[in-house]
Amino acid sequence: MLHFELVTPEKLVRSEDVHMVVVPGTEGDFGVLEGHAPFMSTIRDGELQVHRSAGGAVETIRIEGGFAEVNARGLTVLAEKAE
Amino acid sequence: MASLKALKLRIGSVKSTQKITKAMKMVAAAKLRRAQEAAEAGRPYAERLEAVVSSLAAKVGGADNAPLLLKGTGKSDVHLFVVATSDKGLAGAFNTNIARLARRRADELIKQGKTVHFYTIGKKGRGVLARLYRDRIVHSVEPGDLGKLKFDDARGYAEDLVARFEAGEFDVAHLFYATFKTVLTQEPTEVQLLPVPVPPAAAADAGGAVVEYEPDEESILADLLPRAIAIQLYRAMRENAASEQGSKMTAMDNATRNAGDLIKRLSIEYNRARQAAITTELVEIISGAEAL
């Protein structure tokens, strides 16, 4: 499972283990699965797709401004706004 | 000695003052808890952002094409003091302490022949500084209730500051606010805001693995620096919100206790006056009876 965190300046929105997250990067969307190589990208305003399990329901979260970082611990998305 | 009636009125008025200060203390305690929670909730974001900025800055920092926000103007002639206080008083020495630290640092820099300008956030800080440096205040904003402050407000101030920096209005910006230590102590603090200070990078953060960047490091850094400034301002104002309530709580606790002491003293005085009146009356009756 991929450890996924979504934080805004006001609070920690999500911190959970999921199957996959699709992030709206500045240069195109990218999906992050467990074991992704270290990666960093700024994000554009758009929708974050959270796949809780393979082929399961998809949850979308609207985010604005920020960046995403993938490291050995998982995926961290820092957004200025998330809802 | 004051008349009985005047004393009674006085005791009544002190009692109602005490009721008010007691209520204010309880309100401050409730608000303090919320402000502390808010300050903690913002910590993960600030820590992550800081870590990323410092690791990127360490990579790009030395280069000639490093962003202006990072390398600065190369001079330190004009300093801008961003003094964050609150809009409301009745919080003990909270506002005064921040302004005092700013004043001391300003005087030091002025003595060294530097120019110091002020950018005040909050009515109270402006009030204190305007007395001494009226013509040095370049801009003032009033944030309103610090407890209800949103990140968007801080970002607005940060954008204004960055625009002024890029226009060459100043070389170095310092931020003044009060760090919340405990309910009893709030420490006035100074941090450098611009150019963005580079803390020693937490090296080997990625465990030695090569990190891929999209777009390149410079663009990411250019995008993140203004955010880093906004988050620093936001954090300072959150700290201020907690400090203000802590300071208010202490001040109101003192006021309540003082009112209690005053009531005790006035009651003794009142009882003495009443006793004196009774004694006088008795003396009159007895001497009247003896005269018969």
Side-chain angles (χ1 to χ4, degrees):
Chain A
M1 292 300 262
L2 168 76
H3 186 65
F4 162 60
E5 281 191 2
L6 173 61
V7 281
T8 66
E10 271 144 27
K11 61 175 198 272
L12 181 64
V13 184
R14 287 292 154 82
S15 176
E16 58 194 0
D17 288 328
V18 296
H19 172 62
M20 177 173 83
V21 180
V22 179
V23 185
T26 322
E27 298 187 345
D29 290 8
F30 57 91
V32 181
L33 284 159
E34 188 188 1
H36 196 290
F39 179 65
M40 192 181 288
S41 169
T42 49
I43 51 179
R44 63 185 153 79
D45 300 354
E47 245 137 47
L48 196 74
Q49 293 171 17
V50 184
H51 299 248
R52 281 180 195 282
S53 57
V58 180
E59 185 195 359
T60 56
I61 307 169
R62 175 149 186 89
I63 53 172
E64 277 175 34
F67 73 100
E69 187 194 9
V70 185
N71 58 24
R73 287 186 298 275
L75 165 71
T76 312
V77 177
L78 273 77
E80 287 190 353
K81 269 188 202 147
E83 57 202 34
Chain B
M1 195 178 271
S3 79
L4 279 182
K5 190 164 181 223
L7 274 173
K8 209 171 193 173
L9 281 176
R10 182 89 201 280
I11 291 172
S13 100
V14 176
K15 265 189 186 151
S16 39
T17 309
Q18 189 188 31
K19 259 182 215 151
I20 293 169
T21 56
K22 208 182 224 165
M24 283 174 86
K25 181 192 153 190
M26 285 193 288
V27 170
K31 282 190 177 168
L32 172 65
R33 199 162 344 111
R34 232 171 305 143
Q36 261 177 303
E37 277 164 17
E40 263 160 43
R43 216 160 279 164
Y45 185 95
E47 278 166 8
R48 300 298 307 148
L49 189 62
E50 220 164 76
V52 171
V53 167
S54 65
S55 72
L56 277 177
K59 282 202 185 99
V60 182
D64 288 338
N65 60 350
L68 178 70
L69 294 180
L70 190 68
K71 70 173 192 245
T73 55
K75 293 179 290 182
S76 73
D77 298 336
V78 184
H79 291 248
L80 184 75
F81 280 23
V82 182
V83 185
T85 56
S86 79
D87 276 349
K88 290 186 191 130
L90 289 181
F94 167 71
N95 290 307
T96 331
N97 281 344
I98 299 172
R100 187 181 299 148
L101 177 68
R103 221 174 63 199
R104 209 177 56 223
R105 295 281 295 125
D107 288 340
E108 276 171 28
L109 287 172
I110 290 169
K111 219 176 269 169
Q112 290 168 26
K114 314 263 190 214
T115 313
V116 178
H117 290 298
F118 291 92
Y119 186 106
T120 61
I121 299 175
K123 248 188 236 170
K124 289 289 159 184
R126 183 195 161 79
V128 179
L129 293 169
R131 248 175 276 149
L132 285 147
Y133 312 106
R134 179 166 290 281
D135 43 344
R136 288 175 191 271
I137 296 178
V138 289
H139 191 65
S140 297
V141 287
E142 286 167 14
D145 188 350
L146 289 180
K148 295 203 180 88
L149 195 86
K150 290 268 166 282
F151 179 67
D152 278 346
D153 301 309
R155 194 170 55 185
Y157 304 147
E159 276 165 10
D160 184 24
L161 283 170
V162 168
R164 284 165 189 274
F165 184 66
E166 280 167 352
E169 278 188 35
F170 58 88
D171 301 315
V172 187
H174 309 258
L175 174 64
F176 292 86
Y177 65 97
T179 310
F180 182 85
K181 288 254 148 100
T182 65
V183 178
L184 286 172
T185 43
Q186 299 86 32
E187 208 172 76
T189 311
E190 177 195 359
V191 291
Q192 184 174 319
L193 198 59
L194 274 167
V196 176
V198 182
D205 184 38
V210 180
V211 181
E212 265 190 65
Y213 295 92
E214 183 183 305
D216 53 301
E217 284 104 316
E218 284 89 358
S219 319
I220 294 187
L221 194 59
D223 183 63
L224 291 187
L225 284 173
R227 289 183 213 282
I229 295 160
I231 197 74
Q232 214 177 12
L233 266 178
Y234 182 66
R235 205 181 190 181
M237 290 169 87
R238 278 272 162 98
E239 285 280 347
N240 257 0
S243 298
E244 185 195 14
Q245 296 307 334
S247 186
K248 182 168 274 179
M249 209 175 123
T250 321
M252 287 304 131
D253 187 46
N254 280 339
T256 310
R257 215 169 304 136
N258 284 346
D261 290 349
L262 193 56
I263 290 170
K264 218 181 267 168
R265 240 187 38 229
L266 286 172
S267 302
I268 290 172
E269 203 176 311
Y270 174 79
N271 287 342
R272 267 199 201 126
R274 194 178 56 116
Q275 200 56 57
I278 293 168
T279 313
T280 326
E281 260 174 55
L282 277 176
V283 168
E284 273 164 14
I285 293 167
I286 292 165
S287 45
E290 270 175 3
L292 285 175

